[in-house]
Amino acid sequence: MSNFFTIISFLKKTNFNNLQGDIIYTQILNSIKPSDEERKELLGFSDKLRNIILDYAKEKDVTIDCRLVGSMAKKTSLINKADFDIFMTFPLDYSEEELKEYGLEFGQHCIDVVGGESEKRYASHPYITGLIDGFEVDFVPCYNIKDASELKSAVDRTILHTDYVQSHLTDEEADQVLLLKKFMSSINTYGANYKVSGFSGYLCELLILEYHTFENVINAAANNWHNRFEIDLEDYGTCSNYKDPLIVIDPVDKNRNVAAALSMQKFSEFIVASRNYLKNPCDDYFEDKTINTSIDEITEEFNKRQTKCYVLSFNVPKLPTDVIYPQVNKTMNSLEKVSKMYDFRLLEKGYYISSDNIAHIILEYEVDELSNVKIHHGPLVQDANNSINFKNKYSNAYIHNNKWISLTNRKYVTVDDMITNIFKKENMSILKLGKNIKEEILNEYFFEKVTEYIKTGNNEDLSNIYMHLYPNFKLER
């Protein structure tokens, strides 16, 4: 009888538009949700790794627990997107050095035993990632905290997050999380890393806990969300501490906004995509939208714009996404600032890092060639002393209304000259470059008009330039 009331309660919270909508969602779930058998195999794989670590820790006389956390543990992992986050929890009386040392040792031991490949990475502290049987597995040491007051590093919260979601999210709601994740992924707003600056998996889970169904989230976003929109599941009352586009207080830590990494851009894109979906609720929104374009189509669009678009390309070191993307972004913003300094105004800009580890910064200028001279404004005529100094400095100075002005030669007349000169070693101090990027640019870079850049016909490059031209492409079907 209790199961009957659970189902009735869920249906009351559900806001499906019609029965056909429900059938569509069932079909979509069948294509995005791991089967019970697949999930059983994946959990068995996880248990095998955990037991290797626990046995080794026992040999070493080290007290730890070992848990699977993340979306796999919470039943919110999309098919073929299984993430294995195995957390080794240490007692609070272990030092941070012991935690780091044992964490790396135990993770490496497990990877060695199963014949995987390992890589050392960094978050709040070092951890080991293994490529095992085609799966990427993170082995992360943390403290076995019971609440946020015991927090020693950011990763410690993950155990609390897993416990909270497991104790609050029903199986039906876990399915709704899958729908939300897939929708967000298809419109490119899913992922809290710097590359996307979108919605994290945990944030998706909390949104379903707040609204209960995928459609309810979509309706809320389309009709109610606004800048600094607040969600506080545990009624902590700490929303006023934040000024982010979306404020979702972490139910396990009242002093954290789970949506802090969400950019205004991705917040706005999700709202618009939600409105578009409500106008046309079709299953195409749960599939990646393919870009079909050509050199001729892109060239024609730039010809219509009559802008001057260039692409700056350079190698980047193989560093984690959240390390290298901010550095490329910083470089792009510095180029915009310097361009403006020399009177070359950017209409639009963007960047991407291609699969061959090359950064491409797109700079679309209104014009790329200026006159030889520009007006240099001087003092007011009534300012006698500065008027004399200005006239002495600029022999061609003359009066315009109540001010002195002169015509001065520009330092750079073309964008190409500007880029060529500011990327010389002796001039690069004018730019603010990412610390891992300067040497790469000094070593080699390419600066091409976009029409030349796309002539290779590389699909990855064509797709990214297309998205520069049509940034709303993925938001509608």
Side-chain angles (χ1 to χ4, degrees), residues 353-418:
I353 298 176
S354 52
S355 55
D356 53 2
N357 232 45
I358 299 176
H360 307 273
I361 296 178
I362 306 165
L363 303 168
E364 188 174 2
Y365 293 94
E366 291 188 356
V367 296
D368 63 351
E369 187 169 358
L370 300 169
S371 61
N372 287 325
V373 294
K374 66 175 182 176
I375 291 176
H376 180 67
H377 293 273
L380 293 168
V381 170
Q382 66 196 44
D383 185 349
N385 288 335
N386 283 321
S387 292
I388 293 169
N389 292 336
F390 189 79
K391 187 70 175 69
N392 288 337
K393 186 173 182 179
Y394 302 100
S395 59
N396 66 347
Y398 59 94
I399 300 165
H400 182 76
N401 292 327
N402 63 339
K403 290 180 69 175
W404 286 96
I405 64 173
S406 73
L407 296 180
T408 59
N409 290 326
R410 295 184 187 276
K411 187 167 185 177
Y412 303 118
V413 175
T414 67
V415 165
D416 196 57
D417 283 344
M418 177 186 68

Side-chain angles (χ1 to χ4, degrees), residues 24 26 30 65 127 133 171 174 178 186 211 244 247 283 313 378:
I24 290 173
T26 302
N30 287 337
D65 193 7
Y127 67 96
D133 295 343
D171 286 348
L178 294 178
S186 297
Y211 294 108
D244 301 299
I247 301 164
D283 55 7
S313 305

